Amino acid sequence: MKGKLVMGIALACCLALCGCGGGGGGEEPHEHNYDKTTVIAPAKGVQGCVEHSCSCGDSYRDGYLGALGVEMPTNKSYSFLFLGNSFTFVNELWTQFKNVARGEGYTNVAVDQVTKATSPLDVFLDTSTIYGQAVAEKLATKSYDFVFMQDKCLAPALDWHSFYNSAVALKKLVTESDAHPVLYMTWAYREDCPELAANNLEYEEHFQRMAAIYEAFGEKLSIPVSPAGAAFYIVHGEHPEIELYSPDKYHPSMAGTYLAALCHYATIFGKSPIGVTYMPSAVTAEQAKILQQAAHDAVYGESLVKDEYRNEYKEISQQTNS
Ligand SMILES: [Zn+2]
């Protein structure tokens, strides 16, 4: 539908151009035939999309990457609300995200947050708490474009029901306020984190369940997912020398928060995080390069979820009513 609309606009423009007849270039007016299709890959400052061109040189673009599937020009203003717990507020993920976006020319980005330590998503729906009240009031009085939603880090892997029900209810609230929800996939605890064993989980299984749940429910509910957890998995596996975790082995280091911010940037704007200008002072240029590549691969590459987990949660999400 989006494509048709864009094509309609493009055709209308072309007819107007052809109709004025003052081209003077000796070219015969003709009906455009946009039969050449070029995939434009996301790059620094370039939003991924598909370009359709006519032999006369006229063209239009659609199929934009990014959370909305539309062009995200830098001269527009964008407003974000972050809902989550310490995986969001440690190192102020919203500030890192804003810095990354600003460095790429998005100078009108506003960020806001409601966060509560150790909390799952459902607290933001509970208006008997100050957190639920804050969310209700903010959504009613401010106009956000996007709302990031992050569930308690172990919770989805242990019990998906609460996550699913909260995501459904929050999506309703967020879309009623004319904003768009985005799921923020967190990461597996480091393999030597005692919390894992305490919950009968291992690193690999924690990652697989978490990623599979976010992907399955994101697809089911048509909510874009920022796969920070997948980017963590890539970097921790290939570059364990980059410490993504804080000393408690589950919260993010500054490198970890930056990695999540890069994923958010690529997910929202459809532009590659490779080569972004901003990097926090705690991250070296060499590390930033690795983190940016991993964020790119996590957002635009193949899913890292194994079939057994994908099938398990696909089945669950198909049986669940939304
Ligand atoms: Zn043409």
Side-chain angles (χ1 to χ4, degrees):
M1 206 170 80
K2 242 172 239 152
K4 270 189 184 158
L5 182 68
V6 174
M7 166 121 49
I9 292 166
L11 279 174
C13 292
C14 125
L15 286 174
L17 274 174
C18 297
C20 76
E27 287 241 345
E28 288 292 313
H30 72 287
E31 202 167 311
H32 291 304
N33 179 13
Y34 299 98
D35 59 352
K36 193 183 165 211
T37 299
T38 313
V39 173
I40 303 201
K44 179 176 162 66
V46 178
Q47 191 176 356
C49 63
V50 180
E51 187 172 80
H52 308 267
S53 30
C54 175
S55 56
C56 74
D58 198 61
S59 67
Y60 71 93
R61 292 177 170 192
D62 64 9
Y64 282 100
L65 296 180
L68 299 183
V70 301
E71 196 178 2
M72 302 289 282
T74 50
N75 60 0
K76 270 185 66 182
S77 63
Y78 302 93
S79 179
F80 298 85
L81 175 64
F82 287 71
L83 306 181
N85 59 28
S86 53
F87 278 46
T88 293
F89 72 67
V90 165
N91 302 322
E92 292 193 357
L93 174 55
W94 54 87
T95 303
Q96 293 301 313
F97 169 73
K98 185 177 174 174
N99 288 346
V100 169
R102 189 190 284 155
E104 301 315 299
Y106 289 98
T107 49
N108 288 311
V109 165
V111 290
D112 196 0
Q113 51 92 17
V114 181
T115 49
K116 179 181 185 297
T118 72
S119 186
L121 263 181
D122 55 8
V123 74
F124 303 113
L125 291 156
D126 182 356
T127 48
S128 71
T129 70
I130 55 168
Y131 307 99
Q133 286 161 18
V135 171
E137 192 201 316
K138 281 174 186 287
L139 289 178
T141 56
K142 301 190 178 184
S143 98
Y144 300 103
D145 296 297
F146 298 95
V147 178
F148 284 106
M149 315 190 306
Q150 174 237 320
D151 198 16
K152 189 173 175 176
C153 343
L154 268 171
L158 300 176
D159 175 15
W160 55 266
H161 294 87
S162 164
F163 173 49
Y164 181 79
N165 293 332
S166 301
V168 169
L170 275 170
K171 181 192 172 184
K172 187 166 182 287
L173 274 186
V174 167
T175 46
E176 278 170 2
S177 78
D178 283 335
H180 302 275
V182 182
L183 287 168
Y184 160 27
M185 178 205 295
T186 56
W187 45 88
Y189 291 2
R190 208 170 74 181
E191 57 281 339
D192 54 351
C193 176
E195 285 292 309
L196 274 178
N199 288 283
N200 289 316
L201 276 174
E202 285 182 1
Y203 173 77
E204 179 71 24
E205 188 187 3
H206 188 195
F207 166 69
Q208 289 292 335
R209 290 200 182 280
M210 181 93 82
I213 287 170
Y214 273 88
E215 287 181 9
F217 292 172
E219 193 182 332
K220 163 104 175 171
L221 301 173
S222 300
I223 305 178
V225 178
S226 174
F232 259 66
Y233 184 82
I234 295 170
V235 174
H236 190 59
E238 295 174 6
H239 294 277
E241 75 280 6
I242 300 180
E243 187 51 85
L244 299 177
Y245 298 88
S246 67
D248 65 18
K249 300 168 184 170
Y250 58 99
H251 281 118
S253 65
M254 186 51 98
T257 299
Y258 177 58
L259 182 58
L262 293 169
C263 288
H264 283 17
Y265 169 76
T267 300
I268 294 293
F269 296 109
K271 294 179 179 177
S272 178
I274 296 173
V276 302
T277 308
Y278 170 78
M279 62 182 91
S281 56
V283 171
T284 67
E286 194 190 342
Q287 290 171 336
K289 214 172 154 184
I290 291 165
L291 298 172
Q292 291 167 3
Q293 179 70 53
H296 177 102
D297 293 346
V299 173
Y300 303 121
E302 294 282 306
S303 165
L304 302 172
V305 175
K306 293 174 181 165
D307 285 346
E308 58 186 292
Y309 293 99
R310 182 192 320 286
N311 294 339
E312 180 180 338
Y313 290 103
K314 216 165 193 164
E315 213 162 284
I316 286 171
S317 76
Q318 278 162 2
Q319 288 161 1
T320 316
N321 294 319
S322 53

